[in-house]
Amino acid sequence: MIGVSLRNKLMNALIYTILIMTAIFVLYPVVWVITGSMNPGDSLFSTRLIPESLSFRHYTYLFTETNYLLWYKNTFKIAFWNMIFSTFLVVTAAYAFSRFRFPGRRQGLMAMLVLQMFPGFMGMIAIYILLLQLNLLDNHWGLILVYAGGSIPFGAWLVKGYFDGLPRSLEEAAKIDGASDVTIFVKIMMPLSKPILIFIAVTNFIGPWMDFIFARLVLRSGEKKTLAVGLFEMVTGRGNSEFTTFAAGAVLVAVPITILFFMFQSQLVDGLKAGANKG
């Protein structure tokens, strides 16, 4: 008994040590960026973890001397509408593949599975040419369509796994009562799928919010820039060395995502576990 108790204590000590070290590695960059954003100078090299003085002039500079608010507005617009369109496309596609049998169903599922193996930027040239032909370059809606289409393969497989785990007896009982497929989908399947819906919606909001590659490819003019593009240009080039201002902008970028995670933390965890385990 003594040996077992000692072994359990050592195991718990090891687990807590790993957790503490992981927390330090995760939180240290965050604290460093926050303190860097309040550093009076322009260089992050002189930033201390516990600064001697704090200054909010970089935040003031962002809102008064740059187009940061415009970038924020553009990014929010793209992320919001992508969340709406992507969630609709993903959920309807997943429901169709889960509940209906039609020609090409198996091939469609395999195609979506294969598409997940390739990174999105491999199709950058094709996307650029397609948007050019559709006159959607330097257009937020062109970027939204790219994001929405790219979210379908992974999201549809995840939500399909969740739908497969829901009992078909509910739909059969509703059909006996005369409910149509649309009614069943809206009034039965959607309320039962709240965790996975929230997970997909939040994921599709965060993706465009943090993306740089496709935004840099599609958007050209200054008034169409997103946060990632605008902040990147702030610290690139010979004359751009506003690293502490960049840190202030990065802190504000993280605010909406942090709020979303705190608001939907339990639903995000439940949705991820359910989508991964069912099917």
Side-chain angles (χ1 to χ4, degrees):
M1 294 295 294
I2 297 177
V4 174
S5 177
L6 179 60
R7 185 169 57 187
N8 290 336
K9 290 181 179 179
L10 291 175
M11 183 61 66
N12 290 335
L14 177 62
I15 292 174
Y16 280 112
T17 301
I18 294 174
L19 291 176
I20 291 172
M21 292 179 62
T22 302
I24 292 174
F25 278 113
V26 171
L27 294 177
Y28 177 78
V30 176
V31 175
W32 190 75
V33 170
I34 293 175
T35 55
S37 68
M38 299 179 184
N39 182 52
D42 291 328
S43 174
L44 289 177
F45 293 104
S46 59
T47 299
R48 298 180 179 179
L49 190 62
I50 304 177
E52 297 178 355
S53 62
L54 297 178
S55 172
F56 291 93
R57 72 178 185 88
H58 301 299
Y59 294 92
T60 304
Y61 178 82
L62 278 176
F63 292 108
T64 58
E65 302 296 333
T66 69
N67 291 325
Y68 189 79
L69 278 178
L70 179 61
W71 304 339
Y72 220 96
K73 176 184 175 183
N74 292 339
T75 308
F76 183 84
K77 171 188 173 183
I78 294 171
F80 174 80
W81 285 111
N82 173 70
M83 178 184 67
I84 300 298
F85 291 142
S86 297
T87 304
F88 175 78
L89 293 174
V90 165
V91 172
T92 51
Y95 182 71
F97 280 113
S98 174
R99 288 302 196 253
F100 299 101
R101 300 295 181 267
F102 50 87
R105 174 182 176 274
R106 185 179 183 84
Q107 291 78 3
L109 287 171
M110 291 305 298
M112 290 194 298
L113 183 62
V114 171
L115 287 174
Q116 296 181 52
M117 302 178 184
F118 301 96
F121 61 81
M122 288 185 64
M124 287 179 64
I125 297 176
I127 291 172
Y128 183 88
I129 295 175
L130 179 62
L131 294 178
L132 179 63
Q133 293 176 342
L134 295 175
N135 197 28
L136 288 175
L137 279 180
D138 199 26
N139 189 307
H140 290 160
W141 291 106
L143 195 58
I144 291 170
L145 291 177
V146 172
Y147 290 138
S151 67
I152 294 176
F154 170 76
W157 263 102
L158 187 66
V159 180
K160 176 187 175 297
Y162 188 90
F163 283 151
D164 288 344
L166 297 179
R168 292 180 178 270
S169 58
L170 297 174
E171 298 168 82
E172 294 170 356
K175 287 183 177 180
I176 293 175
D177 292 336
S180 64
D181 291 327
V182 175
T183 302
I184 293 172
F185 176 71
V186 174
K187 294 187 177 181
I188 297 178
M189 302 300 290
M190 289 299 95
L192 293 175
S193 309
K194 184 178 178 181
I196 198 69
L197 290 178
I198 292 177
F199 175 80
I200 291 296
V202 173
T203 302
N204 288 328
F205 181 89
I206 293 175
W209 190 267
M210 304 296 293
D211 182 64
F212 169 78
I213 296 178
F214 284 115
R216 183 72 168 177
L217 173 71
V218 176
L219 304 178
R220 299 293 181 179
S221 57
E223 64 272 12
K224 297 295 180 66
K225 289 180 183 177
T226 61
L227 284 168
V229 177
L231 290 175
F232 173 78
E233 293 179 353
M234 189 177 292
V235 292
T236 55
R238 294 182 178 180
N240 298 334
S241 58
E242 301 170 301
F243 293 102
T244 46
T245 306
F246 175 90
V251 171
L252 295 178
V253 167
V255 171
I257 298 175
T258 305
I259 293 174
L260 287 176
F261 271 104
F262 275 111
M263 289 177 59
F264 303 112
Q265 183 177 7
S266 59
Q267 291 92 334
L268 289 173
V269 174
D270 292 341
L272 184 59
K273 291 191 300 184
N277 294 333
K278 294 183 180 181

